[in-house]
Amino acid sequence: MDDDEERDQDPIGRLSSLNDPVRRRLYEYVETRDEPVAREDAATVVGISRTLAAYHLDKLADAGLLVTSYARPAGRGGPGAGRPAKRYVRAQQELSVSVPPRDYGLLAGVLAEAMSADDSGAVRQAMTAAAHAAGRAASDPDLSVALRACGYEPATTADGDVELRNCPFHQVARRHTEVVCGLNLHLVQGLLEGSGQSPARAVLAPRPGHCCVRVLGA
């Protein structure tokens, strides 16, 4: 689906799927997982039957909020392994609603284009400084709180690092990856500095489906 087709779809109708509290809890569980989620697992976590979970998950998929695939459980394969089970992951497509209409993504794209076209480096320097300052202004003594408020969806790994499961600027990053990754880095460094931590903990560590920045363990 191209960008024009995405814009032509009704985001209000699609987002209304999250009005149902059970559906909202299922979506929130799926969005925290890196791997596709089976109906049984989602049902157990939310505390409902598998049949009801399947119904609501499929409704979320119909609305374009989840993407489905099929796979057998790990370790099962070959004859007698049974049919592959349906699984769900969060859709990467972005939905937003603004009344009256606003297009901040267009503005961000224009600014990113200006940075890319500026051979002097002055625009890039000014933008990175602004990103760092914005990070300091948004800082919180609890780094996780600040990261969540900025839309990064932080998750602590087993080795103590903090991975950022979402890029708040994903749509612009698809066209201007280097520019947006650099701004993300400076913004997160500002968050760290503002909370009294070393900004050097924020490093570029691109990974599919995640923000390009990772915060190393203290």
Side-chain angles (χ1 to χ4, degrees):
M1 178 181 295
D2 61 30
D3 291 342
D4 291 334
E5 289 175 317
E6 288 182 7
R7 284 194 293 267
D8 287 342
Q9 297 193 28
D10 174 23
I12 296 178
R14 298 169 70 187
L15 288 173
S16 67
S17 296
L18 296 174
N19 286 339
D20 184 285
V22 173
R23 212 168 287 176
R24 180 67 174 266
R25 286 159 58 201
L26 285 166
Y27 178 80
E28 289 174 346
Y29 171 64
V30 173
E31 74 173 350
T32 65
R33 312 299 298 174
D34 289 331
E35 70 281 356
V37 172
R39 291 168 168 176
E40 293 82 356
D41 295 336
T44 299
V45 169
V46 175
I48 58 178
S49 70
R50 178 190 179 282
T51 301
L52 185 58
Y55 170 79
H56 285 299
L57 288 167
D58 284 339
K59 287 295 184 182
L60 290 168
D62 290 342
L65 300 176
L66 299 180
V67 175
T68 61
S69 60
Y70 291 85
R72 292 188 175 91
R76 297 187 186 179
R83 297 175 58 187
K86 199 170 189 178
R87 297 175 183 271
Y88 304 82
V89 295
R90 178 174 62 177
Q92 289 298 309
Q93 180 184 338
E94 182 178 311
L95 293 177
S96 62
V97 177
S98 176
V99 180
R102 300 287 187 263
D103 196 339
Y104 301 110
L106 175 60
L107 174 61
V110 170
L111 294 174
E113 287 280 4
M115 284 184 65
S116 299
D118 176 39
D119 294 331
S120 72
V123 175
R124 182 181 295 268
Q125 184 176 1
M127 292 286 284
T128 54
H132 192 93
R136 285 184 58 87
S139 63
D140 186 279
D142 187 330
L143 180 62
S144 292
V145 170
L147 289 168
R148 281 195 295 272
C150 290
Y152 285 110
E153 297 183 6
T156 302
T157 65
D159 57 8
D161 290 352
V162 179
E163 62 179 14
L164 309 181
R165 302 188 66 259
N166 181 60
C167 174
F169 320 113
H170 174 70
Q171 293 300 324
V172 180
R174 292 196 305 178
R175 292 188 174 90
H176 305 280
T177 304
E178 181 185 356
V179 167
V180 174
C181 286
L183 293 177
N184 269 321
L185 178 62
H186 285 279
L187 195 154
V188 175
Q189 287 177 339
L191 288 175
L192 285 162
E193 188 175 289
S195 62
Q197 302 181 52
S198 171
R201 289 180 57 199
V203 298
L204 288 175
R207 178 183 171 194
H210 290 63
C211 176
C212 54
V213 177
R214 187 180 186 93
V215 180
L216 302 179

